Amino acid sequence: LRVVKFRRTGESSRSDEDVISGEHEIQIEGVRTELEPIELEDGAAVPKEFANPTDDTFMVEDAVEAIGFGKFQWKLSVITGLAWASNYAMEMMILSILAPQLHCEWRLPSWQVALLTSVVFVGMMSSSTLWGNISDQYGRKTGLKISVLWTLYYGILSGFAPVYSWILVLRGLVGFGIGGVPQSVTLYAEFLPMKARAKCILLIEVFWAIGTVFEVLLAVLVMPTLGWRWLLILSALPLLLFAVLCFWLPESARYDVLSGNQEKAIATLKRIATENGAPMPLGKLIISRQEDRGKMRDLFTPHFRWTTLLLWFIWFSNAFSYYGLVLLTTEFFQAGDVCSISSRRKEVKAKCSLTCEYLTEEDYTDLLWTTLSEFPGVLVTLWIIDRIGRKKTMALSFFVFSFCSLLLFLCVGRNVLTVLLFIARAFISGGFQAAYVYTPEVYPTATRALGLGTCSGMARVGALITPFIAQVMLESSVYLTLVVYSGCCLLAAVASCFLPIETKGRGLQESSHREWGQEMVGRGSRSPGVTRSHSGSQE
């Protein structure tokens, strides 16, 4: 006889009656897989014996926690990381390599070079909410597959662009597809047990670094001989591998339950249990409320209104500061120190706007070092996020970035400048990943993809605006530029502290209806130490 114990997780804590009565265990022998749902007047579907607290029932959250982290999650981690590296990191890194190349080869003015970068962010911004809506309406796997195939198609076509206008449109369409990549995090998070969720999502950042390093190395090999067209084509090919592996990916069991596909959800959970070598919880799967999915209005219900608005500003500040620092790093390194920026800018203004320089081996080396500086940020965030919580982790990251930005007011030397810039980038990248952990955790299944999509869209707004601060405003005043970035991050730190919900130690919420969640937890809290038994299994 094999006994599997797990504790339910949910929105509400145990009642006083539970504490007094102690922990009750129910042991049920045999296997029951037949589902007999009935419909209530309000549209909710529940098992027939729902009113009986001794019935053996479980939710998807219970099953994920009971099965635990195993072989299935390791495979899913690699596939999600591949999406992050090939569809996100590599395509974004191309922007740093393609722009100066076309600036020289096609003799483009500076504003057209900048537009090549901006159009990708415009595409991402315009599509993020759409991909989130598709993922909530038709499934996480569906939205992810379409976005990947879209990016693959237009990424390859970009390599055949004959003139500037063509590549501008095609790169914009690539950006439109990249906007769906964050949905891989939604799918990933919904298969992770609570204890492993934060660490696993944070470690996806490692694949970002791998993708950018691979892109730089690919550019070193391809650009001198084959040129930028082959770089674009070869950079899109890893997406083909991910598209093939997508057929292995299952649909989220949480989404299947919410959309009424209970049999499919149970089949997915059994598949995970088999791969992990763990037993399935016995009994009947509780069927969640059949509610509308992917509706923007659900993000602004009284329960989530402030969370949504504060998260939008936090994501905006993350991208605004992160990409701004990337642009400022180049300016500061070329000038030598902050105090030399103004005089250098005056010299550059006297030059022809068509003056260009191809990327050198030293430039590629600097790109590699800048990318590697993000690893310390991930490690620090990984260490503190489950100790002090998600909200405090984001607040700390913003505060350290703001403090380092203020220290740049001092006319420090090159070495100290490098240390300050690397610390700032490490913490802002770690804060970005903390936001990727918090956002899928705070929204319920019905709006999780849409919530993440809209936050990602706000991040692209920040990425669009930041060149005008880091490049245009920098020409007028380097100190005013630093004040803008430092002030924005201080406000974001405050916003992080004022988030109404802390998700540390909390399970993913299945429904946006609070009373439904409390009713489900009420069943679990009456017998918090539920014992599942699987007859015939080995101890």
Side-chain angles (χ1 to χ4, degrees):
L1 180 69
R2 184 171 185 177
V3 177
V4 180
K5 295 183 180 180
F6 61 90
R7 188 177 303 279
R8 294 185 186 276
T9 56
E11 295 177 355
S12 61
S13 59
R14 294 173 56 187
S15 64
D16 294 336
E17 181 183 349
D18 301 325
V19 177
I20 297 173
S21 61
E23 191 167 291
H24 300 280
E25 293 189 356
I26 303 170
Q27 181 169 304
I28 301 175
E29 296 186 1
V31 180
R32 293 186 292 168
T33 57
E34 184 179 351
L35 289 171
E36 298 179 5
I38 59 173
E39 293 291 332
L40 298 182
E41 291 182 0
D42 62 355
V46 295
K48 279 183 178 180
E49 299 89 353
F50 177 76
N52 185 351
T54 61
D55 256 336
D56 204 24
T57 60
F58 65 93
M59 299 175 70
V60 175
E61 178 77 11
D62 297 327
V64 171
E65 294 296 329
I67 295 170
F69 191 94
K71 186 177 179 181
F72 173 85
Q73 281 80 8
W74 280 113
K75 290 180 181 178
L76 188 62
S77 299
V78 173
I79 295 177
T80 306
L82 179 61
W84 209 248
S86 60
N87 199 7
Y88 211 167
M90 290 179 67
E91 292 294 335
M92 295 303 295
M93 195 65 196
I94 286 178
L95 300 177
S96 303
I97 300 168
L98 183 64
Q101 185 71 22
L102 293 182
H103 181 42
C104 294
E105 190 169 320
W106 286 357
R107 311 302 295 176
L108 301 176
S110 299
W111 68 270
Q112 287 187 335
V113 175
L115 197 57
L116 273 175
T117 300
S118 297
V119 74
V120 177
F121 288 117
V122 169
M124 295 171 69
M125 179 186 65
S126 61
S127 69
S128 294
T129 301
L130 174 64
W131 292 121
N133 189 274
I134 290 174
S135 297
D136 278 332
Q137 292 279 0
Y138 305 104
R140 283 70 163 117
K141 181 179 177 180
T142 301
L144 187 58
K145 281 199 302 185
I146 295 174
S147 67
V148 167
L149 291 173
W150 179 290
T151 308
L152 172 65
Y153 179 71
Y154 288 107
I156 292 176
L157 280 185
S158 297
F160 298 94
V163 293
Y164 174 78
S165 58
W166 275 74
I167 198 167
L168 194 67
V169 172
L170 290 171
R171 294 313 293 176
L173 291 171
V174 168
F176 191 91
I178 295 175
V181 179
Q183 300 312 321
S184 63
V185 177
T186 304
L187 179 64
Y188 186 46
E190 292 183 340
F191 282 116
L192 294 173
M194 184 174 60
K195 289 184 178 179
R197 192 181 305 128
K199 293 182 177 65
C200 290
I201 295 176
L202 282 173
L203 289 174
I204 293 297
E205 174 70 11
V206 174
F207 286 92
W208 171 281
I210 292 173
T212 51
V213 169
F214 180 78
E215 184 64 35
V216 173
L217 293 175
L218 185 65
V220 171
L221 296 174
V222 173
M223 291 293 281
T225 54
L226 300 176
W228 62 268
R229 296 183 185 276
W230 274 102
L231 179 65
L232 291 180
I233 295 171
L234 292 175
S235 297
L237 290 183
L239 291 173
L240 183 60
L241 175 61
F242 178 78
V244 172
L245 292 176
C246 266
F247 290 99
W248 175 87
L249 280 175
E251 182 53 85
S252 167
R254 298 175 191 269
Y255 170 81
D256 283 332
V257 166
L258 198 67
S259 58
N261 295 323
Q262 293 81 24
E263 292 80 6
K264 188 176 178 183
I266 290 177
T268 299
L269 292 173
K270 285 182 177 179
R271 169 185 167 184
I272 300 172
T274 301
E275 288 199 37
N276 287 3
M280 267 283 289
L282 301 183
K284 298 178 181 180
L285 179 66
I286 294 178
I287 306 170
S288 298
R289 180 186 294 270
Q290 302 282 317
E291 54 187 83
D292 291 335
R293 303 183 303 277
K295 301 297 183 183
M296 182 68 76
R297 66 175 181 269
D298 291 334
L299 300 180
F300 294 95
T301 59
H303 188 54
F304 289 111
R305 185 182 299 126
W306 275 110
T307 298
T308 297
L309 293 176
L310 290 172
L311 274 178
W312 281 5
F313 179 69
I314 288 169
W315 279 72
F316 169 89
S317 303
N318 260 320
F320 178 75
S321 304
Y322 177 86
Y323 292 109
L325 185 66
V326 171
L327 296 173
L328 286 174
T329 300
T330 305
E331 299 290 341
F332 289 159
F333 279 170
Q334 289 179 340
D337 59 69
V338 175
C339 299
S340 305
I341 288 285
S342 300
S343 58
R344 178 181 173 274
R345 278 287 180 179
K346 291 176 182 177
E347 294 175 5
V348 172
K349 276 186 176 180
K351 296 182 180 180
C352 175
S353 63
L354 294 180
T355 302
C356 71
E357 295 179 2
Y358 287 96
L359 289 176
T360 63
E361 185 176 340
E362 184 179 359
D363 294 326
Y364 287 120
T365 303
D366 289 339
L367 285 173
L368 281 174
W369 278 112
T370 306
T371 301
L372 293 174
S373 70
E374 297 186 14
F375 280 103
V378 177
L379 294 176
V380 171
T381 306
L382 192 65
W383 186 71
I384 66 176
I385 195 166
D386 280 326
R387 286 176 169 81
I388 66 175
R390 280 63 162 147
K391 292 164 54 178
K392 291 181 181 178
T393 299
M394 289 188 285
L396 178 64
S397 298
F398 282 123
F399 179 78
V400 173
F401 178 89
S402 180
F403 183 68
C404 289
S405 298
L406 291 177
L407 289 180
L408 292 176
F409 273 71
L410 306 174
C411 291
V412 296
R414 171 100 180 194
N415 291 337
V416 177
L417 175 66
T418 302
V419 171
L420 290 176
L421 290 174
F422 274 42
I423 292 174
R425 178 155 179 180
F427 274 89
I428 197 64
S429 62
F432 220 148
Q433 288 304 306
Y436 266 109
V437 173
Y438 179 84
T439 307
E441 288 182 336
V442 78
Y443 287 112
T445 301
T447 54
R448 185 169 295 126
L450 180 63
L452 185 62
T454 55
C455 287
S456 180
M458 289 304 297
R460 306 315 148 201
V461 175
L464 270 172
I465 295 175
T466 201
F468 296 97
I469 306 300
Q471 293 176 326
V472 178
M473 184 181 286
L474 193 68
E475 294 182 2
S476 303
S477 173
V478 61
Y479 298 110
L480 180 59
T481 301
L482 293 174
V483 166
V484 169
Y485 284 111
S486 180
C488 180
C489 282
L490 275 179
L491 290 175
V494 174
S496 301
C497 294
F498 276 94
L499 284 168
I501 302 171
E502 172 58 71
T503 61
K504 174 191 171 186
R506 193 183 81 150
L508 295 184
Q509 306 304 291
E510 303 294 344
S511 173
S512 59
H513 294 267
R514 296 185 69 188
E515 65 276 8
W516 174 259
Q518 290 166 356
E519 190 175 11
M520 293 298 97
V521 175
R523 283 188 50 77
S525 63
R526 280 191 291 268
S527 55
V530 181
T531 303
R532 313 292 187 197
S533 64
H534 195 304
S535 59
S537 300
Q538 295 179 356
E539 184 63 33

